[in-house]
């Protein structure tokens, strides 16, 4: 590494050098120390080099959550090879579309994806390795990766001493570190490139390393949120707890088992955690003196979509010693704004003020523009999309926002998601935030349905609470009246089993919904 440059590989090297025995990551009953993680990563990096992966090459990883996936992430950073994660739940067609966009030099799959990976490798011509085969190569038990191999898992290469090997590749801070593939309403993959410098700065804990405690991570490892959380912990030389099952009960159990001090989850997951905590407590356990379900938490974070005050207060009740925060940001922009605990009631619906280092302004059309040192480096192999995403150095978020006289931001919709009805403009997310509080509604999306009279009519697509009767348009209009203008209230309601959302960012696929309802 060059002297003085910010690289992700140095995060692991520094922690292994200073706190080799400290726990870096936990999954189930298995732990990995910083020393073990770095040792395994160095060996895996050499194996990747033996397979022809060179600095700047892209390696796609199709894997579920595992400690081997963590070691591979560290190995790619060590080798200067670009990490492109693929969601474990992708279909073969979705995976093929991502491979076509990423054009990797190597595809690495876990045991669950061997058969599908072989088919994709044969179809696309990309080289294939399995985690088991890579581990065999790393341990010196194989000469080539193959799709099977007797090697021990990468994560179980014990010891705290980094084995000697070839010179470490020179990796610069401006070199690409990861490509996170997101998808818009059409589902077409678009790769967000983040450099080493950007990822180090996005996750830096500050000048003073104060005691941090364990953090539970409910995000899957193909998601930026998972690696942001993990790198935040690792830069602070603290532990991240991954989950084999990221359901509400699993989250609650992990916090209690590890005495976690931090938890970050999207509002929908927090809602399930709150419901599970209440459902799992007997009347005797809820009386005076009873311990709250998340008593060890000191920070409880949420964001990415509208977060009702009622939910934030429920989180605070479960975690009475936690500072509750709402964050707004994106894969492209990183963290942009934050609403502190003290402002939850005072600024309902707001996502707070810009975080340090971030500048924001609104375009003439009301679109939120952001400028900061941690913006992404562009879309992978897509100069046109990159150019369109910026306005004279300001990133165009695609979000419609309002900025009050105290500098607090509120996201009111998407530039391209607005509904035009009777000459009025309706933001779907604003209506969704209100309808989501109806007692019969478990999930909701609002779309515009073409109409010869109104241009479009507002349609509420709802997933019902089990046992609830479908609400009529009149029911939902009555529920929203007084909180929304009349033209924003739904004139049509459709009940579905699930709202279609993009795999990476969980955005509603509105165009698909309109097609289905048409």
């Amino acid at each position: 590494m060059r002297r003085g440059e910010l690289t992700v590989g140095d995060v692991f090297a520094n922690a292994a050098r200073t706190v080799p025995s400290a726990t870096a990551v936990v999954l189930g009953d298995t732990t990995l120390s910083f020393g073990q993680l770095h040792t395994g990563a160095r060996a895996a990096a050499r194996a990747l080099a033996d397979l022809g992966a060179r600095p700047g090459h892209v390696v796609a990883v199709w894997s579920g959550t595992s400690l081997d996936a963590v070691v591979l992430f560290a190995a790619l950073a060590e080798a200067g090879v670009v990490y492109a994660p693929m969601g474990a739940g992708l279909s073969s067609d979705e995976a093929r579309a991502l491979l076509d966009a990423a054009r990797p030099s190597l595809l690495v799959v876990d045991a669950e994806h061997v058969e599908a990976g072989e088919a994709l490798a044969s179809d696309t011509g990309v080289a294939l390795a399995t985690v088991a085969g890579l581990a065999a190569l790393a341990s010196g038990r194989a000469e080539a990766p193959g799709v099977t191999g007797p090697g021990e898992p990468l994560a179980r290469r014990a010891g705290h001493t980094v084995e000697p090997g070839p010179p470490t590749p020179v990796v610069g801070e401006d070199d690409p570190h990861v490509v996170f593939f997101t998808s818009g309403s059409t589902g077409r993959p678009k790769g967000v490139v983040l450099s080493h410098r950007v990822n180090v700065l996005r996750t830096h804990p500050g000048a003073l390393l104060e005691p941090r405690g364990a953090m539970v991570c409910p995000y899957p490892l193909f998601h930026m949120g998972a690696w942001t959380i993990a790198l935040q912990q690792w830069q602070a030389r603290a532990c991240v707890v991954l989950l084999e099952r990221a359901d509400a009960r699993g989250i609650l159990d992990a916090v209690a088992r590890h005495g976690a001090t931090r938890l970050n989850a999207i509002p929908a997951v927090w809602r399930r955690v709150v419901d599970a905590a209440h459902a799992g407590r007997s009347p005797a356990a809820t009386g005076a003196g009873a311990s709250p379900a998340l008593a060890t938490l000191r920070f409880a974070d949420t964001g990415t979509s509208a977060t009702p005050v009622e939910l934030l207060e429920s989180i605070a009740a479960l975690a009475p010693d936690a500072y509750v925060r709402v964050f707004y940001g994106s894969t492209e922009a990183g963290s942009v704004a934050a609403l502190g605990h003290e402002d939850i009631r005072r600024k309902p619906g707001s996502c707070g003020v810009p975080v340090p280092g971030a500048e924001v302004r609104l375009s003439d059309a009301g679109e939120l523009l952001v400028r900061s040192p941690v913006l992404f480096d562009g879309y992978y192999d897509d100069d046109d999309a990159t150019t369109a995403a910026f306005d004279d150095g300001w990133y165009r978020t695609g979000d419609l926002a309002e900025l009050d006289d105290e500098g607090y931001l509120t996201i009111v919709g998407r530039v391209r998601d607005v509904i035009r009805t009777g000459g009025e403009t309706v933001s779907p997310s604003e209506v969704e935030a209100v309808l989501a509080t109806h007692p019969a509604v478990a999930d909701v999306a609002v779309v515009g349905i073409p109409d010869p009279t109104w241009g479009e009519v507002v349609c509420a697509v709802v997933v019902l609470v089990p046992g609830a009767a479908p609400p009529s348009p009149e029911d939902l209009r009555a529920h929203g009246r007084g909180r929304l203008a009349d033209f924003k209230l739904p004139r049509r309601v459709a009940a579905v089993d699930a709202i279609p959302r993009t795999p990476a960012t969980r955005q509603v696929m509105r165009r698909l919904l309109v097609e289905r309802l048409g």
Side-chain angles (χ1 to χ4, degrees):
M1 306 291 179
R2 297 178 208 160
R3 183 185 299 272
E5 299 223 343
L6 302 176
T7 62
V8 174
D10 273 346
V11 172
F12 299 105
N14 290 338
R17 183 168 54 249
T18 54
V19 289
S21 298
T23 299
V25 59
V26 178
L27 179 63
D29 294 325
T30 308
T31 64
L32 202 60
S33 72
F34 283 105
Q36 290 171 319
L37 175 55
H38 189 44
T39 298
R42 288 295 304 273
R46 291 194 295 272
L48 288 164
D50 290 343
L51 296 176
R54 297 290 181 261
H57 286 191
V58 174
V59 168
V61 180
W62 197 7
S63 169
T65 297
S66 71
L67 293 186
D68 279 336
V70 174
V71 174
L72 186 53
F73 174 83
L76 292 166
E78 173 87 15
V81 178
V82 184
Y83 171 66
M86 298 168 55
L90 292 180
S91 68
S92 292
D93 287 345
E94 290 170 321
R96 170 62 190 267
L98 195 151
L99 286 180
D100 288 343
R103 294 181 288 104
S105 62
L106 178 68
L107 169 64
V108 181
V109 299
D110 62 8
E112 286 71 29
H113 295 93
V114 169
E115 184 176 350
E118 286 181 305
L120 281 175
S122 175
D123 211 22
T124 62
V126 67
L128 176 71
T130 64
V131 173
L134 188 61
L137 191 61
S139 62
R141 299 186 183 183
E143 295 181 358
V147 293
T148 59
E152 58 187 336
L154 292 169
R156 294 179 187 169
R157 293 181 55 79
H160 303 321
T161 302
V162 176
E163 301 171 4
T168 302
V170 175
V171 181
E173 62 181 18
D174 294 325
D175 292 341
H177 169 228
V178 296
V179 180
F180 288 116
F181 280 89
T182 65
S183 52
S185 59
T186 64
R188 177 177 174 269
K190 190 160 60 171
V192 178
V193 181
L194 304 179
S195 69
H196 282 260
R197 177 182 176 82
V198 162
N199 270 338
V200 171
L201 289 177
R202 284 188 180 188
T203 59
H204 199 279
L208 300 177
L209 294 183
E210 298 165 342
R212 188 177 180 95
M215 185 169 188
V216 171
C217 174
Y219 296 92
L221 294 187
F222 71 89
H223 196 284
M224 184 200 73
W227 296 115
T228 298
I229 286 171
L231 283 169
Q232 285 172 348
Q233 290 294 99
W234 293 333
Q235 290 214 65
R237 299 166 188 172
C239 169
V240 62
V241 179
L242 304 179
L243 300 177
E244 293 171 323
R245 290 183 1 182
D247 57 16
R249 190 73 258 164
I251 292 170
L252 287 165
D253 291 345
V255 170
R257 179 180 178 184
H258 298 282
T261 60
R262 295 168 181 262
L263 175 61
N264 180 310
I266 63 174
V269 171
W270 270 115
R271 170 53 63 192
R272 292 195 287 271
V273 168
V274 168
D275 292 343
H278 291 160
R281 294 175 72 83
S282 65
T286 57
S291 177
L294 300 174
T296 63
L297 289 187
R298 298 297 175 264
F299 292 92
D301 299 330
T302 188
T304 75
S305 61
T307 311
V309 171
E310 296 83 359
L311 176 58
L312 295 171
E313 291 180 336
S314 295
I315 294 170
L318 289 183
D321 291 329
Y323 187 76
V324 180
R325 299 178 291 188
V326 177
F327 284 97
Y328 164 76
S330 67
T331 306
E332 289 91 340
S335 184
V336 174
L339 184 75
H341 193 117
E342 63 279 1
D343 287 326
I344 286 173
R345 278 190 163 276
R346 193 173 75 88
K347 297 286 186 178
S350 172
C351 57
V353 296
V355 299
E359 299 176 73
V360 302
R361 67 179 179 87
L362 301 183
S363 72
D364 292 341
E367 181 179 9
L368 178 63
L369 307 182
V370 180
R371 186 167 64 183
S372 86
V374 298
L375 293 180
F376 74 125
D377 295 271
Y379 291 113
Y380 181 73
D381 198 26
D382 196 338
D383 291 340
D384 290 343
T386 300
T387 300
F390 287 90
D391 179 3
D392 194 24
W394 293 79
Y395 169 61
R396 302 178 60 182
T397 65
D399 288 324
L400 295 173
E402 294 177 353
L403 197 61
D404 71 14
D405 55 3
E406 292 184 85
Y408 284 73
L409 279 167
T410 299
I411 306 301
V412 297
R414 292 286 294 171
V415 170
R416 291 174 293 277
D417 280 344
V418 295
I419 298 169
R420 296 286 292 176
T421 179
E424 300 285 355
T425 299
V426 177
S427 165
S429 61
E430 182 184 17
V431 182
E432 288 163 358
V434 172
L435 299 186
T437 62
H438 190 283
V441 174
D443 195 9
V444 60
V446 171
V447 296
I449 301 297
D451 181 87
T453 302
W454 298 95
E456 291 180 295
V457 294
V458 178
C459 176
V461 184
V462 300
V463 176
L464 299 175
V465 170
S472 67
E474 291 72 26
D475 292 333
L476 294 183
R477 291 175 68 83
H479 180 78
R481 194 163 285 119
R483 301 171 68 183
L484 295 169
D486 191 69
F487 68 83
K488 297 180 181 179
L489 299 173
R491 297 178 181 273
R492 180 175 169 182
V493 178
V496 297
D497 293 332
I499 303 294
R501 299 179 185 273
T502 58
T505 60
R506 309 301 298 158
Q507 291 179 357
V508 175
M509 300 179 74
R510 300 187 197 277
R511 185 179 302 176
L512 179 60
L513 271 178
V514 172
E515 290 174 355
R516 290 177 178 176
L517 296 173

